[in-house]
Amino acid sequence: MDTPDTPKSAIAAPISRPGMGIFWMLVTGICFVSVTASVKMVGDAVPSTQAGFLRYALGLIFLIPMLPAVRRVRVRGALGGLFLARGMAHALAVSLWFFAMARIPIADVTALNYLNPVYVILLAVVFLGERLGPWRIAAVAVAFIGTFVIIRPGFREIDPGHIVMLFAAVAMAASYFLAKLLSQRVAAEVVVFYLSIIVPAVLLPFVLPVWVPVAWVDLGWLFVCAAFATAGHYTMTLAFRAAPLTVTQPVAFLQLVWATLLGVLVFSEAVDGFVLLGGGMIIAAVSFITWREAMRGRRPGPAELPKLP
């Protein structure tokens, strides 16, 4: 039954277009790798919460073309709650992610971010009562073994950035799960618009006590970050609407390749074979879960969430 909050045109089942879904997810990957590069350029010159706030505040200018689509949707009730919940989860994820990016290599951040769907499986079991069968248990186990391979506790000094990134992946998983729900109800512009205004509003009270002067060059990099991130969230939502996650998810895994190359070629980071091995184990586990869901003919569920930064 249609509700006043969700126009019939907004919730109609979209036509699956796998080719377009793959294309938009490729564009999304390029955008988010560019976000990674710009954040890495800022480093720890700006507190992570302030950097996250500025990234969204500077990106508000990109929301102007989205206003006509936003005006056509009445946001209230359950729909408004979804937008607010996503904004709060994403605000936390962004702050933690900026902190991790300033401390650990790009490939480490990207590989650990692939834990998002694994976290969502566990959250679905705890809060939604989903069944955790033997195949899912095995895949989750492989993914967490991959995490230990990346971090290697006891074999090297663990940077706080690695621990923070584990929590960032949890918050990001919640954000993208809600994004998938919202993308089936409203246009991509509306999803991006409300995320972009809620996140800075949530972060502002935490930013003011730690505010520091920001150099013009850092503002420039944060503006670049805002431009690519806004574009990435928009193209990601287009990918969600164009094709099932079973189609778009494998494309998202290419980000580990792009991130590793970026770290080596631009930031002179060494290629860590253990990070690639652990990331590959996580990717294999998530891919297996997605394949199992597709073979069983089930609708995309929490196990199929994307792993984008």
Side-chain angles (χ1 to χ4, degrees), residues 75-211:
V75 177
R76 61 187 183 186
L79 186 61
L82 286 176
F83 278 118
L84 180 60
R86 192 201 175 197
M88 295 176 66
H90 206 86
L92 175 61
V94 166
S95 297
L96 298 177
W97 186 75
F98 268 76
F99 178 87
M101 276 299 307
R103 299 189 63 96
I104 62 177
I106 294 172
D108 291 46
V109 171
T110 304
L112 291 174
N113 211 40
Y114 284 133
L115 282 171
N116 291 2
V118 178
Y119 285 136
V120 174
I121 291 174
L122 299 178
L123 291 173
V125 171
V126 174
F127 295 104
L128 302 179
E130 285 203 5
R131 179 175 173 271
L132 190 62
W135 290 110
R136 277 190 171 188
I137 293 174
V140 169
V142 170
F144 279 113
I145 292 172
T147 304
F148 279 96
V149 171
I150 294 171
I151 300 178
R152 302 192 298 285
F155 294 93
R156 70 167 179 174
E157 183 180 356
I158 300 178
D159 191 283
H162 288 104
I163 306 302
V164 168
M165 191 58 215
L166 294 177
F167 288 99
V170 175
M172 199 67 77
S175 172
Y176 285 115
F177 177 60
L178 293 169
K180 177 63 180 176
L181 296 180
L182 288 166
S183 70
Q184 302 304 318
R185 303 186 68 182
V186 295
E189 297 91 338
V190 181
V191 177
V192 175
F193 180 89
Y194 281 103
L195 177 73
S196 300
I197 62 173
I198 292 174
V199 169
V202 171
L203 289 177
L204 183 59
F206 303 96
V207 169
L208 295 178
V210 299
W211 190 273

Side-chain angles (χ1 to χ4, degrees), residues 114 248-257 282-284 286-287 307:
Y114 284 133
T248 58
Q249 180 173 265
V251 183
F253 291 141
L254 289 174
Q255 286 189 59
L256 182 57
V257 177
I282 297 172
I283 289 171
V286 175
S287 298
K307 298 136 295 298

